[in-house]
Amino acid sequence: MIGAELSLLRREPHLKWGALALLMLVAIAAWNGRMLLESRTADATLALQESRDTIEALAKQAGNGNPTATSPGAAAFGAVSATIVRHIATGESLAIGQTDLEANFQTLTARNPYASFAASAPDNALRLAVGNFDVAFVLVWLVPLLVIAAFFDIVAGERERGVLALAVVAGAAASRYLWTKWLTRTLASIVVTWLAVALAIVVGEQTWTGDTAIALLAWGTVLSAYVFFWAALALACNVGRGNSERHAAVLAAAWLTLVILLPAAINLIVSNVFPAPSRVELAAQLREATESADRAAAKDRDRWFFDHPDLRSGEAERVAYYRSVAASERVITAAITPQLSAFETRAAERRELTRRLQWLSPAATTHDALTVLSHTDGASQAAFRDAALQFHARWQAFFFERIDGDRALTHEDYARLPKFESPSTSSLLALQRAATNVIVLFCIGVLLCLYCGVRLVRLDAILPQEEGG
Amino acid sequence: MIEAKGLSKSYGSVQALHELDLEVRAGGIYCLLGANGAGKTTTLNLFLGFIQPTSGMAAISGVVVRDDPVAARRQVAYIPETVMLYGMLSGVENLDYFAKLSGCRHDQRALRGFLQRAGLAPAAHDRPLKTYSKGMRQKVGVAIALARNARALLLDEPTSGLDPKASNEFSELIAGMARDGAAILMATHDLFRARETGTHIGIMRDGVLRAEFVASEIDHVSLENEYLKIMKED
């Protein structure tokens, strides 16, 4: 029976072409993701190399007593910068997630943190306008359509073709016959989905590690649960009254609702309950804080030189200038830290509400699991921003204590510059988080199957037939 | 053998079938005539176990359908008015599929043999069913019955929509199956074909079997007159 059903499936042109189209789109999306990451990696590598080259050159010059290299102020506010790069996790090319909102590297100086972060604002306005065509998007949107195409007439169509009656007369219990058909089609859809994930990894991933196999297994499991949910929903729709056209319309409406409308509604609710902090407002606050700090610093500097007119030129003035800049940057940092903190708090609130509301839409649940597995979810981005802030504080402290103490930078100091560690992308933690989503999808699928089981047992007792002459 | 005793079916206050007594022995072809809504399809559905009788008994080869519908269905082959099957599978693949569902395994040679016995030319065996005419699809239905070696055959207006030649071929096919020992119950509107093919003829109206004839004892004209008389009764 399973072999015969597979033979039937192979002959259905809309499924064959649908599966091929899905695989083709997945390959294009994976290639798109790979190209995006390659260009980002190349940009980051270039920036990182530039920073390292500068530091190396300055270290040599510091050994030779070059005043630009030995002056902590000159180095901190002009010559030296740190490029920090977010670690690209396995599978990131498959789920761009929110990475299109922020660059994957930042170049920091000892100035206030916002001065660095503002430079890493959306890196490609065009990409933001059209969104990223990634594998997660293709699979979350299109896999349900393939499942619907395979299942929309699984009961009604058999009845309409007169096949169910013939099958029952041939000795098969209607429920067993339909369950076998359903199971075969579900397994076939899952196999197509795994093939799609494998293809995406082959096309999208630049390097293969142990994590690649874990990514394949994890993505395959999440999408299998998604397929299972849609297959169960299609069967639940089919065991009700109505013909196959009606079931196709109901399932298309379900797709529209669960895949498009509900995620859009979730976005709308989150945006209204927790409006995103305005970057323009943040920039205005920063400008205000900067101007106020600059004014205060200038006032202090003028007073200092008023008290020490004999130090008004040469090295002493330069030291005083850098101290005042450092003081000014401290004030600005202190002034904008609450704003940046509010920004992060709001982002965390939005993530939490989104995570709660995502259970309304299996598509949102699946997409969340896929971005979590690829470390491109909002939390991973926040972890990078947090690590960047902490690193910035260490970087600033490194230079400021030398500026304040008027300690010249040495060759060895350059070797002691703080090093950035990208936040860990633990596969285990991601798997734990994604597992909840898989379990929820699976449980809903099981509940739908139980409902179908009850309806199909009734079909065994009396096979509905149209009453004729 | 196909047998009904006091078989009745009601839908609320509507009596779809009333106290039907009927018997088709091995080798017999019983043709049920009647207008739309006379109770012919209800009768077949009761024998197939698709619906439950309100009272009475339907049995196939001694197995009471209500008591063990699965066992009863094992004895019977069914050909509906329109045999749709799977359009993208060929005749031989459809036959293989349904034979396997019945638990019968036949090799390709045997399957093609059944199709040939059912009157389907070998050139058509491997063509997709969606390219078949209705007559050709009915022949695949007969081939399924042959592959299952069914001892009873239930036919629901199988010649409806067939051209005279195809209708004649189909009648010869089922006559051949009856000669091989099958009991056949056929619901039809075709008086001529019922008289030509059947061994017994029953005329139904409003769920009641109004008249029964031995086919060889009545000519076409008399059968038509009897039929019209029953249909015109108040």
Side-chain angles (χ1 to χ4, degrees), chain B residues 63-223:
Chain B
V63 180
V64 176
V65 179
R66 188 175 198 162
D67 295 346
D68 192 348
V70 174
R73 284 178 194 141
R74 275 196 207 109
Q75 314 289 325
V76 75
Y78 168 58
I79 301 178
E81 181 180 351
T82 309
V83 180
M84 294 296 285
L85 305 177
Y86 289 111
M88 60 288 229
L89 297 188
S90 67
V92 73
E93 286 169 333
N94 265 295
L95 178 56
D96 188 31
Y97 183 84
F98 284 98
K100 278 178 183 162
L101 269 184
S102 320
C104 308
R105 298 213 167 253
H106 300 288
D107 60 22
Q108 282 285 312
R109 200 170 152 193
L111 293 169
R112 288 174 196 280
F114 291 128
L115 286 171
Q116 213 152 349
R117 271 177 67 192
L120 199 69
H125 290 186
D126 295 308
R127 268 173 35 205
L129 210 81
K130 64 186 174 193
T131 64
Y132 282 22
S133 66
K134 182 180 175 182
M136 291 165 84
R137 289 203 304 270
Q138 298 289 55
K139 286 173 182 171
V140 177
V142 171
I144 292 172
L146 290 170
R148 293 188 56 205
N149 194 24
R151 302 319 298 155
L153 193 58
L154 300 173
L155 311 170
D156 194 1
E157 301 180 20
T159 56
S160 154
L162 291 186
D163 64 58
K165 182 175 170 286
S167 183
N168 182 53
E169 284 174 1
F170 187 83
S171 300
E172 282 179 7
L173 268 174
I174 60 163
M177 291 176 78
R179 279 196 297 277
D180 289 344
I184 298 171
L185 177 62
M186 176 166 79
T188 179
H189 289 293
D190 188 342
L191 270 66
F192 176 79
R193 199 58 58 199
R195 162 68 186 74
E196 286 295 300
T197 317
T199 54
H200 293 79
I201 300 166
I203 301 176
M204 295 185 79
R205 188 184 157 178
D206 299 332
V208 179
L209 185 62
R210 295 292 183 90
E212 276 190 292
F213 306 98
V214 175
S216 57
E217 292 171 1
I218 189 166
D219 60 39
H220 292 112
V221 177
S222 308
L223 178 62

Side-chain angles (χ1 to χ4, degrees), chain A residues 171-256:
Chain A
S175 64
R176 189 165 163 232
Y177 173 74
L178 292 169
W179 274 122
T180 309
K181 273 186 96 68
W182 179 83
L183 192 65
T184 310
R185 283 172 183 247
T186 303
L187 290 175
S189 305
I190 287 173
V191 167
V192 169
T193 311
W194 276 78
L195 277 177
V197 174
L199 179 67
I201 285 177
V202 167
V203 175
E205 288 297 297
Q206 293 174 40
T207 51
W208 287 58
T209 60
D211 280 351
T212 316
I214 295 175
L216 171 66
L217 286 173
W219 271 60
T221 307
V222 169
L223 288 162
S224 298
Y226 191 48
V227 167
F228 174 64
F229 163 80
W230 277 100
L233 183 70
L235 185 62
C237 174
N238 253 271
V239 296
R241 288 180 183 280
N243 56 24
S244 48
E245 282 89 355
R246 185 182 161 195
H247 295 148
V250 170
L251 287 169
W255 178 82
L256 190 71

Side-chain angles (χ1 to χ4, degrees), chain A residues 157-177:
Chain A
E158 296 294 288
R159 198 182 285 156
E160 287 157 15
R161 282 190 285 271
V163 172
L164 189 55
L166 284 178
V168 169
V169 173
S175 64
R176 189 165 163 232
Y177 173 74

